Amino acid sequence: MRVALRRLRSALVVFRRAVPREITAWHGEEMRWLASAMAPARDWDVLLTIEPFAIAALTRRYGKLLRQGESIGRMSSEESHQLRIACKKFRYALEFFDTLPGCKGVGHLLGHLKNFQECLGIINDASLITPLLTRLLVGVEDRDTLLCAGAVMR
């Protein structure tokens, strides 16, 4: 919940020019208050149980990710998309647990995982180009338009 609040507060900052301050100010203050109210519970939780849980959860997610990625060279676009989703879930788990004392070593992995996830996203986007352009070009007879679309599809 703290991570979700942090992300939501960041989103408010990113979109502050699009959303009037009088709308976001109250929400920002309430979210800041809620995050600080949850801090003691998180601290006790970390002290008592979260580190072993975090290690087990990350190990499970990582194993699943490795199994899914074993055949990356032979994946269909749908399988590649599912691998990207698994990467995203693993990354979110890493981000959540990265602040724990026993999980400090995961931070460097986040950068690599984000880059890999971005590559999978590009592959997924590329797999959508041909079907989208094919539907878009139904009935188009302009030679230049068709040539450009063909070049994009290559």
Side-chain angles (χ1 to χ4, degrees), residues 3-147:
V3 171
L5 281 172
R6 193 176 319 128
R7 286 184 180 189
L8 186 55
R9 286 175 59 203
S10 293
L12 288 176
V13 170
V14 169
F15 295 103
R16 76 173 139 224
R17 292 182 189 223
V19 181
R21 175 91 173 117
E22 51 277 0
I23 294 174
T24 62
W26 180 83
H27 296 313
E29 292 300 318
E30 288 297 306
M31 285 186 278
R32 191 174 297 112
W33 171 84
L34 184 56
S36 67
M38 291 187 311
R42 180 195 177 272
D43 294 344
W44 278 106
D45 198 36
V46 167
L47 180 65
L48 299 175
T49 62
I50 289 291
E51 187 176 322
F53 174 80
I55 292 168
L58 291 174
T59 301
R60 270 193 314 277
R61 285 247 179 238
Y62 185 63
K64 183 176 181 179
L65 182 61
L66 288 179
R67 285 189 300 279
Q68 269 188 272
E70 284 178 343
S71 60
I72 192 165
R74 301 179 308 275
M75 285 185 173
S76 67
S77 59
E78 178 57 32
E79 291 168 326
S80 173
H81 181 65
Q82 292 304 315
L83 179 61
R84 182 172 179 238
I85 291 170
C87 283
K88 191 180 296 190
K89 289 178 180 179
F90 184 58
R91 191 184 101 213
Y92 290 160
L94 283 173
E95 288 173 344
F96 180 75
F97 293 124
D98 186 41
T99 58
L100 298 179
C103 297
K104 287 297 181 198
V106 300
H108 71 281
L109 184 56
L110 282 171
H112 296 296
L113 194 56
K114 286 178 185 178
N115 290 338
F116 182 60
Q117 191 178 336
E118 180 68 24
C119 289
L120 289 173
I122 291 168
I123 291 168
N124 184 60
D125 292 346
S127 73
L128 299 175
I129 290 173
T130 299
L132 288 174
L133 283 177
T134 301
R135 283 188 298 195
L136 183 66
L137 295 172
V138 170
V140 172
E141 296 179 15
D142 180 66
R143 182 179 184 274
D144 291 337
T145 302
L146 294 172
L147 285 173

